[in-house]
């Protein structure tokens, strides 16, 4: 079934479908993301278009339907441009279990290799499947942030992970 999906980099023209799946991700799994559904739902379409223009975002497509996303933002300052931060990895429930997260992340890593030397990400301590995937791709844990996110009155810890590309 995985061969029924196409992995490609998103462009600003994909902003409407990107916005839709991003909001779905924030609403369905809020404890896995730093942004809240309410914050991003209030943003105009131009916000999402700008993200696609300035960040590296790969998507998993099934026909015209965007079923998954994996994104990276490069450091903006001269002293941090060697680092990329992976954010916003999500797969729609009906697209899980086909190896698409691995394929999107592999495409992203291959795309940015040579432009960033290190990739960083955070992963919820409550998401062992994602942790295993990142570890299998070569990311290594370098710390743990207690109380990284607060949703309502509940705190969630995150692991800090990095992959050296050089």
């Amino acid at each position: 079934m995985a061969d029924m999906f196409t992995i490609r980099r998103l462009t600003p023209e994909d902003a409407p479908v990107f916005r839709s799946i991003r909001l779905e991700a924030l609403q369905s799994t809020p404890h896995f993301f730093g942004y809240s559904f309410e914050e991003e739902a209030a943003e105009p379409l131009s916000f999402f278009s700008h993200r696609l223009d300035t960040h590296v975002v790969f998507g998993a497509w099934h026909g015209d339907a965007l079923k998954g996303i994996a994104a990276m933002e490069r450091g903006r300052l001269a002293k941090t441009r060697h680092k990329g931060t992976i954010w916003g990895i999500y797969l729609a429930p009906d697209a899980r279990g086909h190896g698409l997260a691995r394929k999107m992340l592999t495409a992203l890593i291959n795309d940015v290799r040579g432009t960033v030397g290190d990739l960083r990400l955070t992963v919820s301590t409550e998401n062992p499947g994602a942790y295993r995937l990142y570890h299998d791709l070569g990311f290594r844990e370098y710390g743990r942030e207690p109380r990284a996110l607060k949703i309502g009155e509940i705190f969630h810890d995150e692991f800090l992970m990095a992959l050296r590309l050089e």
Side-chain angles (χ1 to χ4, degrees):
M1 173 132 177
D3 58 345
M4 296 173 52
F5 291 87
T6 302
I7 307 296
R8 73 164 171 84
R9 188 166 173 174
L10 303 185
T11 67
E13 290 74 33
D14 296 313
V17 291
F18 172 63
R19 181 183 191 276
S20 179
I21 197 167
R22 176 72 176 154
L23 293 179
E24 174 186 321
L26 296 175
Q27 194 164 42
S28 66
T29 53
H31 54 292
F32 293 163
F33 300 98
Y35 277 90
S36 73
F37 171 81
E38 295 77 16
E39 287 169 322
E40 285 204 18
E43 295 289 351
L45 189 58
S46 60
F47 171 84
F48 297 90
S49 179
H50 179 70
R51 267 195 176 168
L52 293 175
D53 192 38
T54 58
H55 296 191
V56 176
V57 183
F58 276 82
W61 296 85
H62 186 258
D64 291 337
L66 182 59
K67 294 293 189 171
I69 51 174
M72 185 216 70
E73 176 180 23
R74 187 174 179 187
R76 290 182 223 141
L77 304 174
K79 295 178 182 179
T80 62
R81 284 192 192 120
H82 68 286
K83 295 187 288 187
T85 301
I86 293 180
W87 60 270
I89 300 169
Y90 176 75
L91 280 171
D94 64 342
R96 296 176 188 162
H98 303 290
L100 294 173
R102 178 181 305 275
K103 287 182 178 184
M104 286 189 304
L105 279 169
T106 299
L108 188 151
I109 290 166
N110 289 337
D111 187 73
V112 302
R113 192 179 301 277
T115 62
V116 295
D118 296 289
L119 287 174
R120 311 253 169 133
L121 59 81
T122 62
V123 60
S124 172
T125 59
E126 301 164 44
N127 194 347
Y131 183 93
R132 276 191 307 278
L133 170 64
Y134 305 144
H135 191 272
D136 288 350
L137 289 172
F139 286 85
R140 295 297 175 255
E141 182 181 333
Y142 66 90
R144 178 181 178 137
E145 183 179 354
R147 298 168 53 115
L149 301 176
K150 182 180 180 189
I151 303 169
E153 296 304 313
I154 300 173
F155 291 97
H156 301 270
D157 294 359
E158 289 183 333
F159 293 118
L160 311 173
M161 300 183 82
L163 172 66
R164 178 148 303 151
L165 295 177
E166 296 175 328

